[in-house]
Amino acid sequence: MLICPQCKFENPNSNKFCQNCGTSLTHKVCPECSTDDVPVNALRCQNCGTECGTVFWAIIAKEKSGEALGIDGDEGDKRDVGVEADEGAISSSSPLSPSSQIALGSYLDPQERYQLLDSLPAQTETATMTDVGARVLDCQPYQISPIEVILASQQSDLVTPSMEASEIPPLAKLYIALQSQGQRGIPPIHDAWQQGDMQVVIIEDRSDWQHLLDLWQEETTSSLKILHWCYQMTQLWALLEPVNYRQSLLDLSNLRLDEDQTLALQRLYVESSNSQPATESPEDAQAQTSAIPEQPLTIQALGRVWQALFRESQRTQFGSVVQMLGDLEVGKIHTIAQLRSRLEEISVELEALGTATLPPIKEKNTAVPTIPQSDEPEDIISKTDDMPTVVLAMQLSSLEDAGRTDVGRQRHHNEDYFGIETKIHKLELPKSRVLEAHGLYILCDGMGGHAGGEIASELAVNTLRQYFQEHWIANQLPTEDSIREAVYLANEAIYKLNQQDARSGVGRMGTTLVMLLIQDTQAAVAHVGDSRLYRLTRKRGLEQVTVDHEVGQREITRGVEASIAYARPDAYQLTQALGPRDENSINPDVGFFDINEDTLLLLASDGVSDNDLLETHWQTHLEPLLSSGVNLERGVTDLIDLANQHNGHDNITGILIRAKVRPNLEG
């Protein structure tokens, strides 16, 4: 089936246009010059030459029980990496078969979907290599892959995938298992298949991501940022250790940074008992490996990676790092917990010396997480939430927003109203960057006869905006009392208008309210009624922050089972709203939270949230918006379009806020 890039509707493979929204399934728009007839199977725009094709990284491996040898295909760079025997491992003694030596521009699969963009080594070069990597162009980017079907079926408990789990190549099973842990450092898998004794795995292309070494060596990179990367390596080490893939951390060229400067791996490597950290020279790496007797891989290897990073970057080791690396080498530090404790001590030292501007690195607990050993990658049982983590002070790196309202498909007028008001102050110097911001986001869903809903919602938004213009002290989030006072004033403004016009019963106008206030990395939310605030992070997924003020929810808080509470005919009737009654009849919920990781926030009227729309579609319509490269304006438009398809009976309003943060590591 073809998945529409706009509305995510499932179309037959023969469709040229989405039968739901009409979007072309054969051509796309160039992001650079806006040419709208670029074939979806083209690598570059025919008008401006911009690369706009869908590119992935392919790993082509020869399967054989025994030892495995992997090479990194980044820009044709080949690195010898030994591995231990494992089921479905890749042989180091058998070369690639002639059928696998595919020329540039050829296809990897019989369906002619994945086209090679890099040359593969000639057979004479692969006499001892059976694992090669190359960029590939997905010529059918809207076609869902069998692996994606399996992953989707696992999430929805379906049991009818087009490819049985038993048919997944062993190497692909590892990526799937690690991907399920929610660790961003592991490249997500896109497709995989087996051809005879050959495995082909298609993963995210990270070949153009920034090398860790490049940023490590920059003078403006603070010592605490380096400590933070070291800690991230220990997290990945704990994740990879049970499946014998720690080798992935030992090659400097495999250590990359994402758009938020978070440590990530370009791909995975099986480890061998004599694994050593690779330098930037493949020849040196091979010489090191051949000269070192076989020995079990320990965290000493991680220390040698850090030494290599300092050596290759020509950066001087600082503070107690020299002592830590020395203790690692001689075996005085032999567990991840001890290593993390030492990183904490070093951060305390930097703080005491005044060379850092954040609290010391701390752990949630001191226990080392235990991950059951397993021969099958898919049996990995590891909860990253239980792992000790560095608690770092965070600072805002960017704050973006977009809002839109739509009348829907059945209403004649729009009673929703919203307001966005932000102030951002940016200071950037060669060695520091500070972003201070506060944002006010208000969404109201009005109700009442004779256009009363429009009046009430707009009056509430403007009253709240005016209040905070006068009472929001710079660089300080308003208090709970101040926020409550603002809500009561908005209620009073509408209530007085109702009294003045002698409105009664259903003719009394009113409105729901959900309001978000952001000051740097702190946030407050206030709400009355059933308009909602949602929060989305990569670690926790989608969360509904507010709880609706309606009869059904009231009954649940009284101990009634949800199925019984919402069986009432008045279950969705509001228990609170602004305007119909005086302030004694409302009790706004006010809460506070910190933004300590990249976060997408959504204020939504019930036209967006009805029928579990967001809970069903957040992975396709919200999660991609966490990335800086995705346009928020387009995102909120797509969300409105989706809501119109499912909830077009009501007005539809949404405000998206993308808050990106980074560790406060300015020295």
Side-chain angles (χ1 to χ4, degrees):
M1 69 184 70
L2 299 176
I3 306 300
C4 174
Q6 292 300 318
C7 68
K8 309 305 176 184
F9 188 82
E10 298 177 359
N11 295 271
N13 290 335
S14 59
N15 276 27
K16 294 184 178 181
F17 297 92
C18 176
Q19 62 190 39
N20 182 62
C21 69
T23 297
S24 174
L25 300 177
T26 60
H27 293 80
K28 58 186 174 182
V29 178
C30 173
E32 184 66 25
C33 68
S34 299
T35 297
D36 60 2
D37 61 346
V38 181
V40 296
N41 63 350
L43 176 63
R44 299 183 182 277
C45 170
Q46 69 273 19
N47 182 50
C48 67
T50 298
E51 183 173 310
C52 52
T54 304
V55 177
F56 291 98
W57 187 264
I59 300 171
I60 309 159
K62 183 176 177 63
E63 181 185 357
K64 182 178 180 181
S65 298
E67 296 184 347
L69 188 66
I71 67 167
D72 182 4
D74 181 18
E75 301 297 328
D77 179 29
K78 298 177 283 293
R79 304 188 184 282
D80 292 339
V81 180
V83 296
E84 294 180 327
D86 191 12
E87 180 182 352
I90 304 160
S91 169
S92 61
S93 58
S94 301
L96 291 171
S97 63
S99 61
S100 68
Q101 296 166 20
I102 308 172
L104 179 67
S106 299
Y107 295 94
L108 288 180
D109 57 319
Q111 294 77 27
E112 296 189 349
R113 174 170 182 173
Y114 300 104
Q115 186 178 30
L116 272 176
L117 299 178
D118 300 329
S119 299
L120 294 181
Q123 183 173 8
T124 55
E125 299 178 59
T126 59
T128 59
M129 301 174 190
T130 57
D131 175 359
V132 297
R135 292 200 321 152
V136 293
L137 174 68
D138 187 351
C139 298
Q140 302 169 29
Y142 303 152
Q143 176 71 53
I144 189 168
S145 72
I147 292 293
E148 291 174 315
V149 173
I150 291 175
L151 295 177
S153 67
Q154 290 175 347
Q155 293 174 356
S156 58
D157 296 327
L158 297 176
V159 291
T160 56
S162 61
M163 175 194 286
E164 296 297 331
S166 59
E167 300 176 18
I168 302 176
L171 183 59
K173 291 180 181 179
L174 174 76
Y175 279 91
I176 293 172
L178 293 178
Q179 183 180 343
S180 69
Q181 307 307 312
Q183 171 56 256
R184 290 180 64 195
I186 307 299
I189 190 170
H190 174 68
D191 203 351
W193 64 90
Q194 189 132 1
Q195 294 177 226
D197 61 354
M198 300 300 300
Q199 301 179 56
V200 180
V201 178
I202 309 295
I203 61 175
E204 180 180 42
D205 178 28
R206 296 180 170 181
S207 60
D208 60 347
W209 286 24
Q210 184 176 24
H211 286 76
L212 172 63
L213 178 61
D214 292 342
L215 196 55
W216 189 292
Q217 66 188 0
E218 289 187 6
E219 294 182 1
T220 56
T221 299
S222 70
S223 299
L224 276 168
K225 180 171 286 187
I226 288 177
L227 284 182
H228 186 53
W229 288 328
C230 291
Y231 193 90
Q232 289 176 337
M233 285 189 221
T234 67
Q235 290 179 307
L236 284 170
W237 183 276
L239 183 68
L240 297 171
E241 183 175 19
V243 291
N244 297 324
Y245 269 74
R246 291 166 292 184
Q247 178 66 38
S248 312
L249 288 164
L250 305 188
D251 185 343
L252 299 192
S253 70
N254 199 45
L255 303 178
R256 304 297 179 108
L257 297 173
D258 68 9
E259 61 184 13
D260 302 315
Q261 297 185 356
T262 298
L263 183 69
L265 301 175
Q266 181 178 344
R267 55 158 296 181
L268 296 175
Y269 289 115
V270 182
E271 67 195 49
S272 69
S273 57
N274 66 344
S275 298
Q276 297 295 321
T279 67
E280 289 300 283
S281 166
E283 294 77 12
D284 290 345
Q286 186 174 5
Q288 286 180 1
T289 304
S290 61
I292 297 175
E294 291 191 3
Q295 53 186 332
L297 188 62
T298 68
I299 59 172
Q300 289 178 335
L302 199 54
R304 295 182 189 124
V305 170
W306 297 343
Q307 289 175 335
L309 282 163
F310 278 109
R311 181 176 62 253
E312 294 295 325
S313 66
Q314 298 183 345
R315 187 183 181 111
T316 304
Q317 297 173 12
F318 54 87
S320 299
V321 169
V322 175
Q323 183 65 45
M324 178 188 68
L325 293 177
D327 289 347
L328 263 174
E329 186 63 30
V330 300
K332 290 184 179 180
I333 302 175
H334 52 82
T335 68
I336 286 292
Q338 291 173 339
L339 186 54
R340 289 170 173 163
S341 178
R342 185 64 67 88
L343 290 171
E344 176 183 349
E345 293 172 4
I346 295 173
S347 70
V348 172
E349 175 186 321
L350 291 177
E351 177 74 9
L353 293 173
T355 58
T357 59
L358 70 161
I361 299 174
K362 298 180 180 179
E363 298 183 9
K364 292 181 179 178
N365 57 66
T366 56
V368 178
T370 57
I371 305 176
Q373 299 290 330
S374 171
D375 294 331
E376 290 293 329
E378 63 267 30
D379 291 336
I380 295 174
I381 304 174
S382 170
K383 295 188 179 297
T384 54
D385 284 351
D386 296 334
M387 295 175 62
T389 58
V390 177
V391 180
L392 291 172
M394 307 302 288
Q395 66 180 18
L396 197 65
S397 62
S398 67
L399 184 67
E400 303 169 84
D401 52 62
R404 185 181 164 191
T405 185
D406 189 85
V407 68
R409 294 185 173 179
Q410 295 183 18
R411 299 290 179 88
H412 297 294
H413 56 281
N414 193 347
E415 296 184 320
D416 288 1
Y417 200 79
F418 72 90
I420 298 175
E421 193 164 338
T422 60
K423 295 181 181 179
I424 296 178
H425 174 70
K426 177 181 176 182
L427 172 65
E428 189 159 2
L429 300 171
K431 293 188 177 182
S432 65
R433 180 178 183 272
V434 177
L435 185 72
E436 296 177 349
H438 82 236
L440 176 64
Y441 307 93
I442 310 167
L443 185 152
C444 292
D445 181 354
M447 65 198 77
H450 303 291
E454 295 101 305
I455 297 172
S457 58
E458 183 174 355
L459 180 57
V461 169
N462 290 334
T463 301
L464 291 164
R465 285 183 55 245
Q466 182 177 351
Y467 176 88
F468 287 111
Q469 286 171 0
E470 299 173 359
H471 294 84
W472 192 333
I473 301 174
N475 304 323
Q476 185 176 337
L477 199 64
T479 64
E480 179 177 348
D481 288 343
S482 178
I483 294 172
R484 285 183 174 276
E485 180 181 1
V487 176
Y488 288 137
L489 285 175
N491 182 82
E492 182 181 7
I494 303 170
Y495 178 72
K496 284 183 176 180
L497 197 56
N498 275 323
Q499 296 296 91
Q500 175 184 321
D501 295 344
R503 293 175 180 255
S504 63
V506 294
R508 295 180 72 82
M509 61 184 175
T511 183
T512 68
L513 165 72
V514 60
M515 176 172 61
L516 176 69
L517 304 91
I518 293 179
Q519 180 67 60
D520 302 330
T521 57
Q522 296 181 315
V525 57
H527 91 286
V528 175
D530 62 356
S531 292
R532 297 177 178 177
L533 174 68
Y534 288 86
R535 175 174 55 197
L536 173 64
T537 63
R538 289 188 175 93
K539 182 178 181 181
R540 302 177 65 91
L542 182 70
E543 302 171 286
Q544 182 181 328
V545 178
T546 56
V547 178
D548 296 344
H549 294 143
E550 58 188 17
V551 172
Q553 284 293 338
R554 182 194 65 191
E555 295 304 298
I556 290 174
T557 60
R558 293 175 176 177
V560 178
E561 291 185 9
S563 59
I564 298 176
Y566 276 95
R568 296 174 52 129
D570 61 348
Y572 293 96
Q573 181 177 323
L574 296 182
T575 57
Q576 291 192 55
L578 297 183
R581 302 181 182 89
D582 63 26
E583 67 177 40
N584 295 321
S585 66
I586 65 167
N587 181 26
D589 287 342
V590 179
F592 296 83
F593 59 93
D594 292 328
I595 303 173
N596 49 29
E597 59 182 309
D598 291 349
T599 303
L600 185 73
L601 296 153
L602 170 63
L603 284 71
S605 67
D606 58 355
V608 174
S609 60
D610 276 354
N611 299 314
D612 293 329
L613 180 75
L614 297 170
E615 288 78 2
T616 303
H617 296 279
W618 68 269
Q619 290 173 305
T620 56
H621 281 72
L622 294 181
E623 189 172 29
L625 300 177
L626 280 167
S627 299
S628 299
V630 181
N631 185 278
L632 272 190
E633 295 283 354
R634 181 61 178 269
V636 75
T637 298
D638 290 345
L639 186 62
I640 296 296
D641 291 344
L642 179 71
N644 258 319
Q645 297 169 32
H646 298 272
N647 298 331
H649 59 277
D650 200 356
N651 303 148
I652 300 169
T653 304
I655 301 175
L656 286 170
I657 303 103
R658 180 167 57 209
K660 309 283 283 188
V661 298
R662 59 189 176 94
N664 187 0
L665 301 172
E666 305 299 342

